[in-house]
């Protein structure tokens, strides 16, 4: 059985987080992952307090296991969402897109386990000093908003820099990836892209088909010039966006282009105008499965690899 200190810390059976995914990671997917023994995470994205409260209540009708909420710090509703997680006694908060220092004290006082996503050693150190329970070290292979450093380089550097558990994210979609993350010193993994095709994932069929057909070079990162790079499947939207970026279009205009594009992909399956956020590992995601099958495959596969690893040592 694969158990790490993170399991005990969070009361979960398996050290697998389902990454918060805006417009995608709702109560349906998160409850299924938590029921499977991992940590399901509802993405609060840019939604308001009422939407999040409803999702939390719906999740609680489906599971009584621990779960998390992903708070996007850039959201205009971040303040009210930060309060909802306290009012609703959410066990775990994972923060994305920035520095959560502003909310850390209140969340810690409420007994919430706070796990910020970091793309650098500096931010990992800062949030550890402010009382983070653990950190997610997310490499540039990931889908969604990304940093510059790869998972392979980032994880061991973050592990060496902080005294709290590190969860590896970015480019992990099977047992080999999980085992590799543990070898780098991680105590758990966060997976986004593979869960896009989970049966319980409510994303559009068009989105799922595109992920299933993707190969190793199907994604590209755009938006580096804006300071907020994003990784998505190549599509008419990413082509148009990259062209505008290369032509020197202003950051404001680029921002306007991006507004609503993920919703168009996730909810409407709009191939022409949608932004299909996705990680580089999509080429390995080729099967629709239940969340339980995915969690079990990640963990069982890692056990096999880890047990076999000693064969290399004389
Ligand atoms: C479609 C999509 C949307 C995402 N949205 C968010 C988000 O709202 N907040 C966040 O912190 N991370 C977000 N992420 C990142 C994931 O939570 C996770 O860390 C990442 O997908 C892991 O890398 P992988 O895609 O290689 O599995 C998103 C990722 C994807 C693929």
């Amino acid at each position: 059985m694969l158990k790490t200190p993170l399991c005990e810390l969070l009361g979960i059976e398996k050290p697998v987080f389902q990454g918060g995914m805006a417009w995608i990671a709702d109560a349906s997917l998160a409850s299924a992952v938590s029921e499977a023994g991992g940590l399901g995470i509802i993405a609060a994205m840019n939604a308001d307090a009422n939407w999040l409260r409803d999702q939390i209540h719906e999740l609680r009708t489906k599971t009584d296991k621990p779960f998390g909420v992903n708070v996007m710090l850039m959201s205009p509703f971040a303040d009210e969402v930060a309060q909802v997680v306290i009012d609703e006694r959410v066990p775990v908060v994972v923060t994305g897109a920035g520095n959560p220092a502003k909310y850390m004290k209140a969340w810690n006082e409420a007994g919430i386990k706070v796990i910020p996503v970091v793309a650098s050693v500096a931010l990992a150190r800062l949030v550890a000093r402010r009382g983070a329970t653990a950190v997610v070290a997310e490499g540039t292979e990931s889908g969604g908003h990304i940093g510059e450093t790869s998972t392979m380089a980032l994880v061991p550097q973050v592990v060496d820099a902080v005294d709290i558990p590190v969860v590896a994210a970015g480019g992990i979609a099977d047992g080999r990836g999980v085992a590799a993350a543990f070898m780098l010193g991680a105590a758990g993994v966060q997976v986004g892209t593979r869960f896009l095709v989970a049966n319980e994932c409510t994303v559009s069929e068009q989105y799922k088909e595109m992920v299933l057909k993707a190969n190793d070079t199907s994604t590209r990162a755009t938006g580096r010039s804006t300071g907020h790079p994003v990784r998505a499947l190549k599509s008419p939207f990413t082509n148009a966006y990259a062209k505008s970026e290369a032509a020197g279009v202003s950051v404001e205009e680029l921002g306007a282009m991006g507004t609503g594009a993920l919703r168009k992909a996730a909810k409407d399956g709009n191939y022409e105008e949608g932004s299909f956020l996705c990680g580089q590992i999509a080429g390995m995601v080729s099967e629709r499965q239940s969340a339980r099958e995915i969690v079990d495959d990640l963990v069982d596969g890692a056990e096999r690899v880890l047990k076999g690893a000693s064969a290399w040592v004389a």
Side-chain angles (χ1 to χ4, degrees), residues 159-225:
V159 167
D160 286 350
V162 296
D163 291 330
I164 51 179
V166 176
V167 178
I172 298 167
D174 72 358
R176 291 171 297 178
V178 178
F182 288 163
M183 290 290 126
L184 296 174
V189 296
Q190 172 161 290
V191 172
T193 294
R194 186 167 176 190
F195 282 114
L196 284 170
V197 301
N199 298 337
E200 298 87 348
C201 181
T202 57
V203 78
S204 66
E205 268 305 301
Q206 171 73 27
Y207 209 132
K208 287 189 178 183
E209 279 301 315
M210 284 172 70
V211 174
L212 290 166
K213 285 191 186 128
N215 65 27
D216 57 324
T217 59
S218 292
T219 72
R220 75 185 294 180
T222 55
R224 286 216 158 84
S225 65

Side-chain angles (χ1 to χ4, degrees), residues 19-22 24 70 72 96 138 142-144 169-171 190-193 207 277 279:
M21 294 184 279
I24 296 166
N70 176 268
M72 279 287 279
E138 190 191 64
S142 300
Q190 172 161 290
V191 172
T193 294
Y207 209 132
L277 302 187

Side-chain angles (χ1 to χ4, degrees), residues 18-24 43-45 70-72 94-97 117 136 138-139 141-145 168-173 190-196 207 231 262 275-282:
Q18 157 256 309
M21 294 184 279
W23 290 105
I24 296 166
M45 50 165 179
N70 176 268
V71 176
M72 279 287 279
V94 176
T95 62
V117 176
V136 177
E138 190 191 64
E141 299 93 321
S142 300
H145 288 270
I172 298 167
Q190 172 161 290
V191 172
T193 294
R194 186 167 176 190
F195 282 114
L196 284 170
Y207 209 132
R231 182 175 303 287
L262 175 57
S275 170
F276 296 80
L277 302 187
C278 185
Q280 287 180 331
I281 204 69

